[in-house]
Amino acid sequence: MKKYYSRPPSVKAKKIADTYTSGELVTPCRLLLVLIISCLLIVGISVSVSQTKVPKTLTKSGETLVDVPYQFDFSAALRVREENLELYQRPQHLWTVEKRSGLTLEEFWDIYDGKWPVIITDVVRHWPAFNWTKEFFIQKYGKQRVTFKAIVDGIQHVTGYVQPLENFISTLHQSNINTWNYLEDEIFLLQRPELRKDIGDHIYASENFFSFFPFEIRPWDAAFLWGAKHSRSTLHMDPYNWTAISAVLSGVKKWKLFLPGQDHLLYVQKTSCGFPLECVKYNSPLDAFDPDLKHYPKFGRAQYLETELLPGEMLIIPAGWFHQAYNADETMAISSQLMNRNNYLIILEEIIKGGSVKRKKLPAHFNTLMPPDQVKLFLSCISKKILKKGKELTEVVLKMVSETQVS
């Protein structure tokens, strides 16, 4: 079980502590001056409060996930980010995705997590998986089955396949701007512990509440991605609106990352995700790398960041950001997801939208608990019927790809 890490002292707290431990003596005159200033401040605050208009309708205390649908305030998150950038004495790079090494967990939480994308450059290159090659997979796993999709004449024309890995690899050189194959297998690595252990841990996922989920409904956390040149994902937001992590082992991924609150400009379509734990799936019919502005004119007003992910780099995308990846070269990557103190309410709300948990089942004291305890209590409200359904669906998927040899 993952440990829940207490938040380290903030930068602001450290600066205040330094101020009051500077060793200066308090003289009687100075104490008298402090008392006078305090009295003046009290009078000023009293006048200010008396002149402030109190709204007629006040928000009820504790009105979050239990009382009404939870909505993440992106503007407030950006204000916190700006304050923390100042405290960390870091410049604000507008419309860019920074590449960082040596980033502490505290600074990650304060400046990026739940607020702004970031690329970590000093993690993936230390994983054994960073040494995986095409030849390695052909020799060791060529006859074993994988799931991939074939796109012919545009991103909206998709056909899914389950075939031996060597069949997929043999097609990689046949791609062009409108036609390509893309392996997106969520269980290939998890079924092979010898490969899964080659994916290292990192501090940014040291707190991950998905570890509390029962196995039957827990999202698979190591999707294997292998795309031909020109292959790309759809423009989408990840299931449950989790924090997405993409690690490139070889090749180059280009990204377009859309700031939250622009669904109306992206022509977002909502469907069922079909996961063991049901949720709403958010996709756009647009190809952000080749947009059809004649059919989707509003997209021309959408605001987004562009960045490039190189071998050995890892991109962390906060909840709420629609995104699309484009493989500029044949690219091998691993994706995973994160649920922590900064996005867990967003994810729980998405599960409620999926219908697996009823809001009215959450007890009144839910909002008084610490984040990990809230998640555990929430999961206890999931019925045995849903757990059984999740187990059955998982078994169907595993059976479908269980055959490892070509018949």
Side-chain angles (χ1 to χ4, degrees), residues 86-359:
E86 184 177 348
L87 291 173
Y88 280 95
Q89 298 182 346
R90 289 194 56 83
Q92 181 165 202
H93 300 285
L94 297 175
W95 301 106
T96 62
V97 180
E98 288 185 274
K99 295 195 175 189
R100 298 292 307 273
S101 63
L103 179 67
T104 66
L105 182 60
E106 179 188 10
E107 187 176 349
F108 169 68
W109 280 338
D110 287 341
I111 294 180
Y112 303 105
D113 190 32
K115 307 170 188 68
W116 203 259
V118 63
I119 293 175
I120 307 298
T121 62
D122 57 351
V123 170
V124 179
R125 61 185 65 254
H126 299 296
W127 295 354
F130 188 56
N131 298 312
W132 289 350
T133 64
K134 183 188 298 185
E135 292 70 27
F136 166 75
F137 280 103
I138 292 175
Q139 181 181 357
K140 296 288 187 180
Y141 303 97
K143 303 296 182 183
Q144 301 185 17
R145 290 177 170 253
V146 294
T147 59
F148 65 93
K149 62 185 182 182
I151 286 79
V152 179
D153 193 27
I155 200 168
Q156 299 304 321
H157 302 90
V158 183
T159 303
Y161 292 95
V162 178
Q163 291 189 10
L165 178 58
E166 61 184 8
N167 288 13
F168 164 77
I169 294 175
S170 68
T171 68
L172 288 171
H173 68 286
Q174 300 172 358
S175 64
N176 60 51
I177 192 67
N178 291 315
T179 301
W180 66 83
N181 288 348
Y182 200 170
L183 186 155
E184 294 178 311
D185 197 312
E186 297 189 20
I187 62 175
F188 183 80
L189 300 179
L190 299 181
Q191 285 185 303
R192 295 160 179 83
E194 72 280 8
L195 291 177
R196 181 64 182 84
K197 67 179 179 59
D198 284 352
I199 305 170
D201 296 325
H202 53 90
I203 61 171
Y204 313 108
S206 56
E207 177 182 273
N208 195 345
F209 298 156
F210 279 126
S211 64
F212 300 147
F213 281 52
F215 175 77
E216 295 87 347
I217 57 173
R218 183 186 308 159
W220 295 315
D221 67 347
F224 189 31
L225 309 178
W226 194 343
K229 184 177 181 179
H230 302 300
S231 62
R232 47 201 180 271
S233 71
T234 59
L235 175 55
H236 67 284
M237 190 161 62
D238 281 0
Y240 308 112
N241 203 353
W242 59 44
T243 294
I245 302 176
S246 177
V248 169
L249 305 179
S250 61
V252 177
K253 273 186 182 292
K254 293 185 177 182
W255 292 84
K256 290 192 176 183
L257 311 168
F258 292 79
L259 281 69
Q262 303 185 86
D263 293 24
H264 61 295
L265 303 179
L266 304 182
Y267 300 86
V268 174
Q269 300 171 344
K270 299 180 182 181
T271 59
S272 171
C273 70
F275 281 17
L277 186 62
E278 191 56 83
C279 64
V280 179
K281 187 176 181 181
Y282 304 91
N283 271 337
S284 169
L286 276 152
D287 183 346
F289 289 93
D290 185 23
D292 183 352
L293 296 181
K294 181 178 180 180
H295 288 90
Y296 307 107
K298 294 181 182 179
F299 179 74
R301 305 201 308 269
Q303 297 180 316
Y304 58 88
L305 312 182
E306 291 189 88
T307 192
E308 191 173 75
L309 202 59
L310 303 177
E313 296 181 340
M314 180 174 70
L315 172 64
I316 303 179
I317 306 172
W321 289 66
F322 275 82
H323 51 276
Q324 185 176 4
Y326 176 97
N327 294 319
D329 294 311
E330 180 186 322
T331 302
M332 190 185 301
I334 297 168
S335 69
S336 57
Q337 57 275 343
L338 181 62
M339 178 185 187
N340 63 10
R341 65 185 68 191
N342 285 329
N343 71 349
Y344 76 99
L345 287 175
I346 299 173
I347 294 171
L348 297 185
E349 182 62 43
E350 289 299 320
I351 295 174
I352 291 176
K353 289 179 183 178
S356 296
V357 173
K358 303 296 183 184
R359 197 182 308 278

Side-chain angles (χ1 to χ4, degrees), residues 22-27 30:
S22 60
E24 294 186 12
L25 297 177
V26 179
T27 63
R30 185 173 297 180

